[in-house]
Amino acid sequence: MNRRVLIVSPHFPPINAPDHQRVRMSLPYFEEFGWEPHILTVRPECVEGVPDPLLKQTVPSHIPVTCTGALPVKYTKRIGMSSLSLRCFFHLLKAGDRILAREKFDLTYFSTTAFTAMALGPRWRSHLGVPYVLDFQDPWLSDYHKQPNSPRPPGGRFKYGFAQFMAQRLEPNTLRHASHVISVSPEYPKTLLERYSWLRQDQFTVLPFGAPETDFKQLPSLKVRQNIFDPNDGKRHWVYVGRGGGDMALAVRALFSSIQSKRYQHPEQWDCVKLHFVGTSYAPGNRAVKTIQPIAEALGVADIVEEYPHRVPYFEALQILTDSDAILLIGSDDPGYTASKIYPCILARKPIFAIFHQQSSVVEILRRCNPGRVITFNSQARPEDLLKDIGYQLNWLLSTAKGYQPETNWSEFQPYTAQEMTRQQCAIFDRCLTLHEGVKKA
């Protein structure tokens, strides 16, 4: 008989959000590895985000989903608090209390960047005896924006400061009672082990997101159209799909500076090249701020760079990658940053040019799978330090024929599939339950 896991994921289809992708891609495989999932989420109309109805079609119809409400953002934003994790906390608490009291669950699993929701784990463990696993897709408590010359934090100093105030109070207790912590980056366990002396190395597993192979298989039949560029206009379209931000300024400045230098030497090579940066802001509507275009204007390449800050539906984003001539992957100056979008980029079968911090886990994946080229930098690097290497790789990218597909090593890619990642998640669940049952017997 399969064991049961309650998965807490405030973002969920049809909302397009990066932090539910691990859950969404794992759902078709949980039962294969002995677990029956039940989703606890927030109703889509209560969530600020881009809906994509096609995403809902990828969720197996037999999996139960319980949706809760949330405080209306039109009221909470008046005090500067539109965070979903705060707005939905008590709704999740009540719904989770009810579900866990009514039905038997072996484990709860928090896979979200709405971190405040994770604080429900200790409550349910204490009151109902249900162990829990945490999935850290970003740092919860972080000193990144306290560092000298760090960029302005997302949402502003007040919002970020309040989030960190909450993290200081909630993270220690939440981690202390967790059965296990999954992390997308090897840097997060290092930081947490340094921060809390009572944590152990064996309580952590680094597990990247799984690759959405089935989404790419479905894509042609969905007849999705993207509205960012015309792939048949004779131009070479290089695309970046993902968030922007001040922490990516070093890589972006290095890229644009190198392009401007190359254009000065051989302007004719760039007449047909267009760079598109899509979905660079998480903020909805008129709150979305461009962070790439100002750099392009300052460095003289604005005529070939277009930034679309608003998020696009998930399958439209995949179509943008598929229609492109090359894919850009831009990394943060934060060494712990890892990009879950790397797998769709590889599966799009287009040449990839990446610029990442040398400690990012993305670097190893790219080098093993060989879908393109990667330039790395360290924490002391300046944009001018990267110009020569970037220029060399730009020459390579310009030399590739239209329609070129990289010679990706698909056997090296196999460990990153959604099925394999789900198997590893379920193996962690099994170990946690064995340990929990052993403690109870003792």
Side-chain angles (χ1 to χ4, degrees):
M1 183 177 179
N2 284 348
R3 294 166 168 176
R4 302 188 69 203
V5 57
L6 179 66
I7 300 176
V8 182
S9 179
H11 292 109
F12 197 69
I15 296 297
N16 178 18
D19 70 337
H20 71 53
Q21 296 296 351
R22 188 196 295 280
V23 170
R24 184 185 68 85
M25 290 185 286
S26 297
L27 289 177
Y29 305 108
F30 272 117
E31 292 180 49
E32 177 183 341
F33 300 112
W35 286 85
E36 293 181 7
H38 183 127
I39 306 298
L40 177 58
T41 187
V42 178
R43 291 195 301 270
E45 62 268 24
C46 299
V47 180
E48 291 187 298
V50 177
D52 185 350
L54 294 175
L55 274 174
K56 202 163 186 178
Q57 297 180 23
T58 68
V59 178
S61 59
H62 68 281
I63 292 177
V65 178
T66 297
C67 296
T68 75
L71 294 173
V73 71
K74 65 180 180 180
Y75 299 127
T76 60
K77 73 178 180 181
R78 293 176 183 173
I79 57 172
M81 295 298 163
S82 57
S83 165
L84 178 63
S85 63
L86 295 175
R87 294 191 296 113
C88 73
F89 182 82
F90 288 104
H91 295 78
L92 291 175
L93 184 152
K94 291 179 181 178
D97 282 356
R98 185 170 58 252
I99 294 169
L100 292 167
R102 185 182 64 223
E103 304 175 39
K104 182 184 184 307
F105 282 88
D106 300 281
L107 188 78
T108 52
Y109 178 40
F110 295 85
S111 185
T112 178
T113 54
F115 291 110
T116 306
M118 292 182 174
L120 294 169
R123 171 190 173 87
W124 292 335
R125 184 181 184 277
S126 173
H127 291 197
L128 300 164
V130 184
Y132 62 95
V133 172
L134 307 175
D135 177 14
F136 271 56
Q137 301 175 21
D138 280 325
W140 187 358
L141 177 60
S142 171
D143 63 356
Y144 173 75
H145 290 284
K146 295 180 181 178
Q147 302 300 320
N149 303 316
S150 65
R152 182 177 183 270
R157 296 287 177 187
F158 175 76
K159 182 178 178 180
Y160 179 79
F162 183 79
Q164 291 302 289
F165 171 81
M166 294 291 292
Q168 285 178 329
R169 278 142 186 80
L170 297 177
E171 184 184 80
N173 188 58
T174 303
L175 281 166
R176 185 179 292 276
H177 299 288
S179 293
H180 204 81
V181 179
I182 294 172
S183 167
V184 298
S185 168
E187 294 301 312
Y188 302 164
K190 291 178 186 176
T191 300
L192 292 170
L193 287 163
E194 291 174 0
R195 184 178 296 156
Y196 305 113
S197 60
W198 35 265
L199 286 172
R200 306 183 314 275
Q201 185 73 51
D202 62 3
Q203 291 176 274
F204 294 88
T205 299
V206 177
L207 202 63
F209 279 21
E213 317 100 289
T214 55
D215 294 341
F216 275 89
K217 289 177 182 177
Q218 292 180 44
L219 188 60
S221 66
L222 298 176
K223 308 296 183 184
V224 175
R225 293 187 62 185
Q226 55 88 6
N227 299 304
I228 301 300
F229 60 87
D230 178 2
N232 300 312
D233 63 3
K235 294 186 179 295
R236 295 167 67 94
H237 297 279
W238 300 356
V239 304
Y240 169 86
V241 181
R243 76 162 181 87
D247 60 319
M248 296 182 174
L250 187 153
V252 173
R253 285 185 177 278
L255 174 64
F256 290 169
S257 295
S258 187
I259 288 175
Q260 181 64 327
S261 175
K262 289 291 179 185
R263 282 214 306 176
Y264 181 78
Q265 298 169 24
H266 302 286
E268 72 285 353
Q269 291 184 332
W270 295 88
D271 289 343
C272 64
V273 177
K274 295 289 287 187
L275 279 66
H276 308 273
F277 292 79
V278 183
T280 51
S281 175
Y282 287 130
N286 58 12
R287 284 192 281 155
V289 177
K290 292 184 177 182
T291 56
I292 306 298
Q293 201 78 39
I295 300 176
E297 291 171 358
L299 296 176
V301 295
D303 58 314
I304 64 169
V305 173
E306 295 181 341
E307 180 179 9
Y308 310 83
H310 297 100
R311 312 292 286 185
V312 298
Y314 174 75
F315 280 102
E316 184 178 347
L318 298 192
Q319 193 64 52
I320 290 169
L321 296 176
T322 302
D323 287 346
S324 74
D325 296 292
I327 296 171
L328 304 173
L329 277 171
I330 306 297
S332 168
D333 57 18
D334 179 357
Y337 175 76
T338 184
S340 58
K341 56 183 172 283
I342 183 176
Y343 303 117
C345 293
I346 294 174
L347 287 168
R349 299 173 185 265
K350 302 294 180 175
I352 291 174
F353 177 38
I355 307 172
F356 268 81
H357 194 287
Q358 62 188 16
Q359 291 177 235
S360 174
S361 58
V362 167
V363 175
E364 180 186 358
I365 296 169
L366 288 172
R367 286 176 173 165
R368 289 180 62 180
C369 298
N370 194 38
R373 307 288 179 86
V374 58
I375 295 294
T376 63
F377 57 87
N378 59 33
S379 297
Q380 288 73 47
R382 301 166 301 170
E384 53 266 32
D385 299 331
L386 309 180
L387 296 187
K388 182 178 179 181
D389 288 340
I390 291 177
Y392 180 77
Q393 301 304 345
L394 288 174
N395 287 341
W396 163 74
L397 205 54
L398 287 168
S399 71
T400 58
K402 197 170 177 67
Y404 167 79
Q405 290 190 2
E407 297 179 359
T408 303
N409 188 332
W410 294 109
S411 62
E412 289 288 345
F413 188 72
Q414 183 60 32
Y416 305 113
T417 62
Q419 184 178 28
E420 173 57 21
M421 291 300 174
T422 309
R423 184 194 68 76
Q424 294 189 47
Q425 287 175 76
C426 291
I428 291 167
F429 296 171
D430 291 339
R431 293 198 301 272
C432 290
L433 212 54
T434 299
L435 289 171
H436 182 70
E437 289 169 351
V439 170
K440 285 198 300 183
K441 289 177 182 178

